[in-house]
Amino acid sequence: MPTPPRSAAPVRPQRRPQPPLPRPPRRPPRSRAPLPPVRRKKPRWTMRAVTTLSVVVLASAGIGHAMVTSLDQDIARVDPFKDMKNRPPAGHGMNVLLVGTDGRDRITEQERRRYHLGGAPCHCTDTLMIVHISEDRERASVVSLPRDSYAELPPTGGRPPRPIKINAAYAEGGPNLTVRTVERMTRVKIDHYLEVDFTSFMKTVDVVGGVKICTAGPLKDSYTGLDLPAGTHTLGGGQALQYVRSRHVDGASDLGRMKRQQRFLAALVDRATSSGVLLNPMKFRDVTRAVLGSVRADKGFGTDELLELGRAMRDFSPSSSEFTTVPIGRMGYLVKGYGSTLKWDTARADALFARLRDDRPLTVHRPPSRAARVEVAPQEIRVQVENGTGTAGLGRRVDAALARTGFRTTGAPANAAERSLRRTVVAFDPRWDRSARSLAAALPGSQLRPTKGLGPTLKVIAGTESHEVREVRGEDAPQQQGAVVTGDEVVCP
């Protein structure tokens, strides 16, 4: 069939301010002007072949798809949503319940000795987090659920709801009862379930080349074997496991451990996104193999979902992620048969989970804190204030100022035996020296005075020279319990 003459083609105006000129009979030149911001249709393969950076990204995704598809069949599958009724309505974005289990029976005997993993597995959840990926895939919000949270199991097998620790739901009914319990408490619909054990955690950290964390002071825990001096460290898989498991490095116990887990997760995201892991098909394959080889996931969490997360995370930075812990209203709430639990602050927790359901950021952006970093968060330090001068009301003012900064003051200041003190004194039992240094940092010019037998309550004896109380912040803690931090606030500078 003869080709129609070029002069029969319609004349299109050039995108220039001068009057339109007719298109010459030769092949039109390729315009370098940017395309208007219209919604793109799915590009053809021929169009992909003429791009530069897009070809690399899309090719990586294509190769990654082939690689992950080959590994998809190796994922151990569970059905955490089986026979579930009366579930919360679906929100926007994607909610993944990330569950960390013991799994020490899969670790070699040598590694168990080296990283203090003796004893029998507890068959319970060591870590519980809701990871929310926003609908536009530009933000990740992580909410930690303390393992000792007071919970009520949903009615099962004709049994009425009963009190329990949230981490025991797994031992009682596995992933299914865990998801039901979390949804009942949060009213957040869980879209996917991902269960990670010690083995997959260690392998993932090793594959990305280790993760860098910073500590303002030394961290030592004889239970896990963690022993880190102050400074910057690149942790391999075994040390990283010690870091996120440690509960005895300060007085914050499990709450302190969750903050370190959040800090580590932010650093892991930073490492993965800044080292090209997600853009390098070979590295992507290795990380995927390390993760998928020893996890359990719901039947709907497969190749497409993993790659969707991978593509979203290419644009992530630490500032794209935000971390918080469910606000606690009451510590040490006793439950028969389970001991001490943590009871949530209902009003604040409801507001937090409402933001997840509505796909909103957990907090508005705020200017960076100017608070000085200290080893122990003020919320973990109990203080008795005494007035060491003849100035009436000084003890009450210092007590109130310390309480506003976050210290757990007794609220009942007293008069000291010595009433002519010039320099403020921080008296402390030598076993609580880290807490004493943190308290002294909030009282510029104060003097540390070791006093055996004082116990965990520190004493501030206010003097005449300085009454300033400045804001301080624990190195592993938000400014206040239940506060939200973004990833760039907790990764190494």
Side-chain angles (χ1 to χ4, degrees):
M1 182 181 292
T3 304
R6 293 184 180 273
S7 58
V11 177
R12 294 183 180 180
Q14 300 289 324
R15 300 175 66 85
R16 298 178 182 177
Q18 60 264 32
L21 297 174
R23 181 179 290 177
R26 296 181 181 180
R27 180 179 296 178
R30 294 176 180 173
S31 172
R32 296 182 180 272
L35 294 174
V38 297
R39 184 180 296 274
R40 290 184 182 176
K41 296 181 180 180
K42 190 173 291 186
R44 300 188 305 271
W45 283 104
T46 52
M47 292 299 292
R48 293 181 184 178
V50 296
T51 59
T52 53
L53 181 60
S54 296
V55 152
V56 177
V57 175
L58 291 171
S60 297
I63 295 172
H65 193 283
M67 292 175 178
V68 178
T69 302
S70 67
L71 296 170
D72 197 356
Q73 59 186 358
D74 296 329
I75 303 176
R77 295 296 181 182
V78 294
D79 189 1
F81 310 117
K82 183 179 180 181
D83 299 329
M84 288 184 63
K85 300 176 181 178
N86 302 319
R87 302 185 65 192
H92 301 285
M94 179 169 64
N95 297 311
V96 180
L97 182 62
L98 179 61
V99 174
T101 58
D102 197 316
R104 70 185 70 195
D105 51 339
R106 302 180 59 185
I107 296 177
T108 66
E109 187 62 33
Q110 181 181 3
E111 287 179 318
R112 290 177 69 173
R113 287 196 302 268
R114 182 178 179 184
Y115 300 119
H116 292 230
L117 294 170
C122 72
H123 302 294
C124 58
T125 52
D126 204 49
T127 300
L128 275 171
M129 294 180 179
I130 297 177
V131 181
H132 174 83
I133 307 296
S134 63
E135 191 169 32
D136 60 12
R137 300 302 189 253
E138 293 184 357
R139 184 184 69 258
S141 304
V142 180
V143 180
S144 294
L145 312 179
R147 54 178 268 172
D148 292 336
S149 295
Y150 171 84
E152 287 189 355
L153 289 184
T156 52
R159 299 179 65 181
R162 64 189 190 279
I164 198 173
K165 283 185 180 180
I166 195 171
N167 74 325
Y170 187 91
E172 293 265 349
N176 183 269
L177 189 56
T178 300
V179 171
R180 291 179 62 196
T181 303
V182 169
E183 287 192 346
R184 177 184 173 92
M185 296 179 68
T186 65
R187 291 184 291 129
V188 171
K189 186 175 183 180
I190 301 300
D191 301 302
H192 293 292
Y193 174 90
L194 191 62
E195 184 179 305
V196 182
D197 65 13
F198 289 169
T199 305
S200 56
F201 177 84
M202 293 168 68
K203 286 181 179 178
T204 302
V205 173
D206 285 334
V207 167
V208 300
V211 172
K212 186 170 71 171
I213 59 101
C214 306
T215 62
L219 298 179
K220 191 168 184 176
D221 186 345
S222 60
Y223 289 83
T224 63
L226 179 70
D227 189 2
L228 295 177
T232 301
H233 311 275
T234 298
L235 304 184
Q239 270 192 310
L241 184 61
Q242 291 175 313
Y243 179 80
V244 299
R245 289 184 61 235
S246 291
R247 304 176 67 192
H248 303 277
V249 297
D250 53 34
S253 188
D254 198 48
L255 295 178
R257 184 180 68 156
M258 283 190 302
K259 291 163 187 173
R260 282 185 290 278
Q261 290 173 349
Q262 294 170 355
R263 174 185 291 270
F264 188 87
L265 189 56
L268 181 60
V269 170
D270 184 45
R271 173 67 176 171
T273 55
S274 63
S275 61
V277 168
L278 298 172
L279 289 176
N280 184 316
M282 302 306 292
K283 286 186 178 181
F284 184 69
R285 178 203 62 187
D286 292 341
V287 172
T288 303
R289 179 171 290 155
V291 174
L292 298 187
S294 49
V295 304
R296 300 207 303 166
D298 64 274
K299 296 177 181 178
F301 190 87
T303 301
D304 293 337
E305 287 73 23
L306 187 68
L307 287 169
E308 184 181 359
L309 286 177
R311 282 191 288 268
M313 288 180 65
R314 287 193 180 109
D315 296 324
F316 273 16
S317 65
S319 60
S320 305
S321 54
E322 50 187 6
F323 302 84
T324 193
T325 300
V326 177
I328 304 301
R330 184 174 174 184
M331 305 277 191
Y333 183 74
L334 294 178
V335 174
K336 186 177 181 179
Y338 291 96
S340 180
T341 68
L342 303 174
K343 203 163 188 181
W344 295 357
D345 182 323
T346 305
R348 293 171 64 200
D350 287 348
L352 170 67
F353 293 122
R355 300 191 78 84
L356 279 191
R357 292 192 294 270
D358 297 339
D359 196 25
R360 291 180 290 162
L362 300 183
T363 187
V364 295
H365 290 290
R366 62 183 185 277
S369 171
R370 296 182 180 180
R373 293 282 181 131
V374 292
E375 295 177 77
V376 182
Q379 292 81 5
E380 309 302 331
I381 302 175
R382 187 158 178 81
V383 182
Q384 170 66 55
V385 176
E386 293 185 355
N387 185 355
T389 73
T391 305
L394 176 60
R396 187 173 60 254
R397 291 197 299 272
V398 173
D399 183 284
L402 287 170
R404 284 194 300 271
T405 309
F407 290 94
R408 295 169 54 202
T409 65
T410 63
N415 289 326
E418 47 185 322
R419 303 300 304 277
S420 57
L421 195 67
R422 294 182 56 191
R423 188 176 175 186
T424 296
V425 169
V426 174
F428 66 99
D429 189 303
R431 293 177 297 170
W432 279 268
D433 60 322
R434 294 171 61 244
S435 294
R437 289 193 296 270
S438 301
L439 176 57
L443 297 165
S446 61
Q447 176 184 3
L448 288 169
R449 180 187 293 174
T451 308
K452 289 184 178 180
L454 247 154
T457 299
L458 280 62
K459 184 182 293 187
V460 170
I461 308 172
T464 59
E465 285 189 347
S466 175
H467 310 142
E468 178 190 358
V469 176
R470 68 176 182 178
E471 186 180 4
V472 294
R473 178 179 177 184
E475 61 151 344
D476 289 326
Q479 283 179 286
Q480 58 181 351
Q481 189 269 327
V484 181
V485 295
T486 54
D488 54 348
E489 293 181 78
V490 293
V491 298
C492 295

